[in-house]
């Protein structure tokens, strides 16, 4: 049997990490992998998470199973973080999942159960795991324009034109904030237009929100998802805690359905629990419990908010410094988009050959589509990157 297996395509980013590790240059710069790093290049455990972990160790009396859908306290705390007061608890069904990826996978499985022939609309480009999982599940997908390669902003007209072809019951996957891989995001007015369009088209939004708090702030980053929840009769949300709580390896995520018809919530909740049961039974709990403690304890929450805000402002500062360094070198504002982008990533707009040239000449590692992890920079590496960008002729 096993001789029938064929090799699966390697993950580009993991391959890049391997190349980076093998590069002997001491001044190499890793802008590849999508993990937050501080100025020292570390991905620290956040202070509030560490404190919650210490408390949990003291008070935890059992590691027996939680519910199939995870802990309702986690659902409530996360629903409040993502949706604020936009939706009542009675409208929301939720299941804890292994990371945001687990939430996306379970959400797609839910869609497949409810509407096997629905088409999933994906932004071009999007996080490669989206099409990969959809293809694996044998579902239909099509792309909508999202990124303008010239301005490096959202191609909003293209997006509206493409989404005008959505059929009733189709699913439109949107990044809640901090678009991966481009860094280009919709403003509030554009979110309003998209919400109105999806309502008119009777489409179902599926929002992947993996970087809340990394862009314009926790509340501002939730604007789009909340607008959709207010406008549409039903939607799905996949939330990841990996980045904004720094609990990557704990695998902490939540899938939510939100419906205006509260009579549907119990069925949705039962289906989410059923799906967890089929795939892995009980979801991981440790990360979810830490997140719940941080969100519901005033002191822990305040400390988390302050550290998260430092992370966000630090990335904005790096964006501004890189944009300024490039203005100085080129005498133009061509790279102003770097300061306008939000979140951990920016798509630079370099060709694959230019990306390779920067790797070979300056030891700079970015994904071949020229996605850069801004958090991989620091004050010392910004001038090196700016020089490399100019000498590669980007
Ligand atoms: N969505 C997007 C757009 C992401 O970038 C990520 C993380 N790379 C995720 C979801 C999910 O991350 P995780 O499974 O690690 O929580």
């Amino acid at each position: 049997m096993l001789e029938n297996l064929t090799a699966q395509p390697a993950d580009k980013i993991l391959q890049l990490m391997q190349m980076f590790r093998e590069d002997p240059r001491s001044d190499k710069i890793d802008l590849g992998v999508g993990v937050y790093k501080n100025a020292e290049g570390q991905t620290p455990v956040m202070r509030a998470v560490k404190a919650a972990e210490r408390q949990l160790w003291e008070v935890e009396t059992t590691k027996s199973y939680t519910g199939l859908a995870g802990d309702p306290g986690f659902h409530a705390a996360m629903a409040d973080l993502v949706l604020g007061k936009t939706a009542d608890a009675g409208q929301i069904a939720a299941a804890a999942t292994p990371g945001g990826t687990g939430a996306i996978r379970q959400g797609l499985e839910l869609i497949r159960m409810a509407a096997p022939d629905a088409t999933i609309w994906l932004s071009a480009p999007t996080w490669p795991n989206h099409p990969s999982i959809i293809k694996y599940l044998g579902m239909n997908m099509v792309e909508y324009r999202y990124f303008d390669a010239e301005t490096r902003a959202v191609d909003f007209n293209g997006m509206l034109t493409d989404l005008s072809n959505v059929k009733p019951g189709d699913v439109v996957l949107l990044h809640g904030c901090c678009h991966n891989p481009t860094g280009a995001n919709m403003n509030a007015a554009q979110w309003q237009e998209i919400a109105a369009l999806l309502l008119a088209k009777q489409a179902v939004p599926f929002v992947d929100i993996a970087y809340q708090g990394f862009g314009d702030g926790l509340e501002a980053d939730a604007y789009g998802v909340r607008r959709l929840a207010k406008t549409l009769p039903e939607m799905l949300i996949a939330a990841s805690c990996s980045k904004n709580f720094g609990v990557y390896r704990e695998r902490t995520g939540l899938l939510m359905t939100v419906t205006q018809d509260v009579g549907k919530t119990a069925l949705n909740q039962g289906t989410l629990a059923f799906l967890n049961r089929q795939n892995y039974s009980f979801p991981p709990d440790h990360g979810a419990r830490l997140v719940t403690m941080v969100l519901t304890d005033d002191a822990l929450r305040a400390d988390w908010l302050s550290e998260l805000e430092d992370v966000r402002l630090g990335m904005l500062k790096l964006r501004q410094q890189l944009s300024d360094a490039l203005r100085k070198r080129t005498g133009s504002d061509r790279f102003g988009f770097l300061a306008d982008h939000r979140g951990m990533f920016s798509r630079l707009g370099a060709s694959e050959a230019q990306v390779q040239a920067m790797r070979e000449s300056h030891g700079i590692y970015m994904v071949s589509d020229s996605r850069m992890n801004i958090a991989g920079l620091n004050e010392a590496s910004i001038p090196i990157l700016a020089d490399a960008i100019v000498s590669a002729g980007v």
Side-chain angles (χ1 to χ4, degrees):
M1 177 190 76
L2 298 178
E3 69 277 9
N4 296 325
L5 296 176
T6 53
Q8 297 300 322
D11 185 299
K12 268 205 264 181
I13 297 174
L14 298 183
Q15 257 176 337
L16 191 72
M17 279 167 75
Q18 177 72 16
M19 279 170 76
F20 180 81
R21 273 196 296 270
E22 287 167 3
D23 188 333
R25 286 175 285 190
S26 60
D27 56 351
K28 59 190 175 176
I29 301 170
D30 177 14
L31 307 180
V33 68
V35 167
Y36 171 75
K37 285 184 276 184
N38 62 19
E40 288 75 48
Q42 286 146 0
T43 305
V45 182
M46 293 182 86
R47 292 185 305 261
V49 168
K50 198 82 178 153
E53 222 154 21
R54 198 175 298 121
Q55 285 181 18
L56 183 60
W57 183 81
E58 293 286 350
V59 300
E60 192 172 54
T61 53
T62 181
K63 288 200 182 280
S64 176
Y65 296 120
T66 56
L68 264 182
D71 174 17
F74 175 58
H75 303 170
M78 283 298 291
D80 181 59
L81 181 70
V82 176
L83 288 164
K85 304 280 167 269
T86 313
D88 293 335
Q91 293 175 259
I92 302 168
T97 54
T101 309
I104 293 164
R105 169 67 188 261
Q106 298 297 75
L108 289 168
E109 295 224 15
L110 185 81
I111 293 162
R112 192 172 60 166
M113 276 177 89
D117 297 325
T119 295
I120 319 286
W121 291 72
L122 301 176
S123 67
T126 190
W127 185 43
N129 246 14
H130 290 154
S132 167
I133 299 173
I134 293 169
K135 185 169 166 225
Y136 179 69
L137 291 173
M139 298 170 78
N140 306 319
M141 62 181 148
V142 57
E143 287 186 328
Y144 59 86
R145 272 172 283 172
Y146 183 81
F147 186 64
D148 183 330
E150 203 48 51
T151 61
R152 275 87 152 179
V154 175
D155 175 4
F156 194 61
N157 285 333
M159 183 178 182
L160 283 181
T161 306
D162 291 349
L163 291 182
S164 69
N165 297 316
V166 165
K167 302 271 173 296
D170 281 356
V171 175
V172 178
L173 185 53
L174 295 147
H175 296 228
C177 61
C178 307
H179 187 267
N180 178 7
T182 68
N185 296 291
M186 285 189 279
N187 60 33
Q190 292 170 329
W191 275 110
Q192 289 168 23
E193 258 190 84
I194 290 296
L197 177 66
L198 299 189
L199 179 67
K201 294 286 164 193
Q202 300 173 46
V204 180
F206 185 1
V207 174
D208 175 4
I209 184 157
Y211 299 91
Q212 190 184 353
F214 271 34
D216 288 314
L218 271 180
E219 296 297 309
D221 289 348
Y223 179 83
V225 66
R226 292 177 187 180
R227 182 78 199 187
L228 291 167
K230 230 184 275 179
T231 311
L232 276 294
E234 55 184 30
M235 70 180 297
L236 281 77
I237 303 166
S240 167
C241 302
S242 300
K243 318 286 158 44
N244 51 4
F245 292 88
V247 290
Y248 305 82
R249 66 173 63 167
E250 301 297 350
R251 311 309 299 133
T252 310
L254 187 75
L255 173 64
M256 288 185 271
T257 60
V258 188
T259 60
Q260 306 266 346
D261 179 358
V262 294
K264 285 189 192 146
T265 303
L267 179 62
N268 295 342
Q269 186 61 49
T271 312
L272 292 180
F274 169 83
L275 279 173
N276 267 8
R277 181 79 171 158
Q278 305 322 303
N279 283 323
Y280 38 76
S281 220
F282 299 88
D285 180 69
H286 187 70
R289 200 154 293 273
L290 298 175
V291 165
T292 310
M293 290 171 77
V294 168
L295 288 174
T296 55
D297 177 285
D298 287 347
L300 293 179
R301 186 180 176 105
D303 193 36
W304 170 68
L305 288 173
S306 133
E307 189 170 0
L308 180 62
E309 189 64 358
D310 287 347
V311 163
R312 185 179 81 81
L313 294 175
M315 289 189 293
L316 279 183
K317 190 165 161 203
L318 292 168
R319 289 185 173 284
Q320 193 61 53
Q321 287 172 339
L322 179 60
S323 169
D324 291 347
L326 283 159
R327 186 181 304 106
K328 237 194 210 118
R329 284 165 177 73
T330 62
S332 85
D333 214 16
R334 274 194 308 126
F335 293 97
F337 65 86
L338 291 167
D340 297 335
H341 284 170
R342 286 292 179 273
M344 216 154 63
F345 305 116
S346 271
R347 177 179 271 199
L348 180 61
S351 67
E352 270 199 46
Q354 288 168 330
V355 169
Q356 190 182 339
M358 286 187 272
R359 189 167 66 234
E360 283 165 7
S361 63
H362 289 79
I364 291 166
Y365 286 74
M366 61 179 79
V367 185
S368 59
D369 67 359
S370 77
R371 184 193 84 170
M372 308 185 290
N373 178 0
I374 295 294
L377 291 168
N378 57 31
E379 295 201 2
S381 59
I382 282 175
I384 304 171
L385 174 61
D387 287 341
I389 289 173
V390 171
S391 69
V394 180

